[in-house]
Amino acid sequence: MIRIETEPWQVMVAHARRTYPNECCGAMLGTIDGDGKNVREAIALDNAFEGAQAARYELRPEDLLKADKAARDRGMDLIGIYHSHPDCDAYFSTTDLQNSCPWYSFVVLSIQKGEFHHANSWLPNVDQTVADKEELTY
Ligand SMILES: [Zn+2]
């Protein structure tokens, strides 16, 4: 299960609303305790996708490396990636699955008409063929 603390959660929702009607993306930093993950900080990253960003996001590998380093510097880990789905449910699309990494949690925020609607967290399998829903609290 994954728990997002209030402050990073507010950062994520504000970021998703600000980029609407485009998708936003960012990194989630925190700690892992057994099966439980605790997100303590969210870092907004650029959507680097060069086409229409309303239904697609792309992270720059160097931005992810920077987020990973920032996490380590603060005694945390990079535990997941978040992105938004403008006017769409918080499902995990085939593209999301293909661009995922099995060792991260993927939180998807559904933004409907510019407002936060609901969110889900997904855990891709090693082959990136299926993603299971992960229990999410925020
Ligand atoms: Zn997506």
Side-chain angles (χ1 to χ4, degrees):
M1 69 164 273
I2 182 164
R3 182 180 161 266
I4 304 174
E5 290 182 357
T6 310
E7 210 183 300
W9 179 248
Q10 286 171 347
V11 168
M12 289 162 63
V13 171
H15 187 205
R17 290 179 63 200
R18 193 164 70 237
T19 55
Y20 179 89
N22 287 336
E23 289 197 11
C24 74
C25 53
M28 300 185 297
L29 280 44
T31 48
I32 303 171
D33 173 24
D35 265 358
K37 299 166 193 160
N38 201 32
V39 176
R40 289 160 55 194
E41 195 175 328
I43 300 180
L45 298 174
D46 274 350
N47 183 346
F49 185 62
E50 292 192 344
Q53 294 186 352
R56 191 77 183 262
Y57 80 99
E58 198 177 296
L59 286 161
R60 289 188 199 99
E62 60 265 37
D63 286 346
L64 263 193
L65 284 175
K66 260 187 244 167
D68 189 56
K69 187 178 184 308
R72 278 160 213 287
D73 286 348
R74 289 167 228 179
M76 295 189 278
D77 284 306
L78 174 60
I79 57 180
I81 307 293
Y82 72 88
H83 75 282
S84 63
H85 279 179
D87 295 321
C88 236
D89 274 353
Y91 70 108
F92 210 56
S93 70
T94 312
T95 313
D96 287 337
L97 199 51
Q98 283 162 357
N99 297 330
S100 67
C101 313
W103 50 89
Y104 292 137
S105 289
F106 285 82
V107 171
V108 182
L109 294 92
S110 167
I111 304 293
Q112 313 263 353
K113 298 191 177 91
E115 297 298 328
F116 172 75
H117 195 267
H118 65 280
N120 286 313
S121 184
W122 301 95
L123 289 171
N125 66 350
V126 248
D127 305 324
Q128 289 168 243
T129 48
V130 186
D132 284 332
K133 206 190 258 194
E134 180 179 33
E135 194 186 327
L136 166 71
T137 51
Y138 52 83

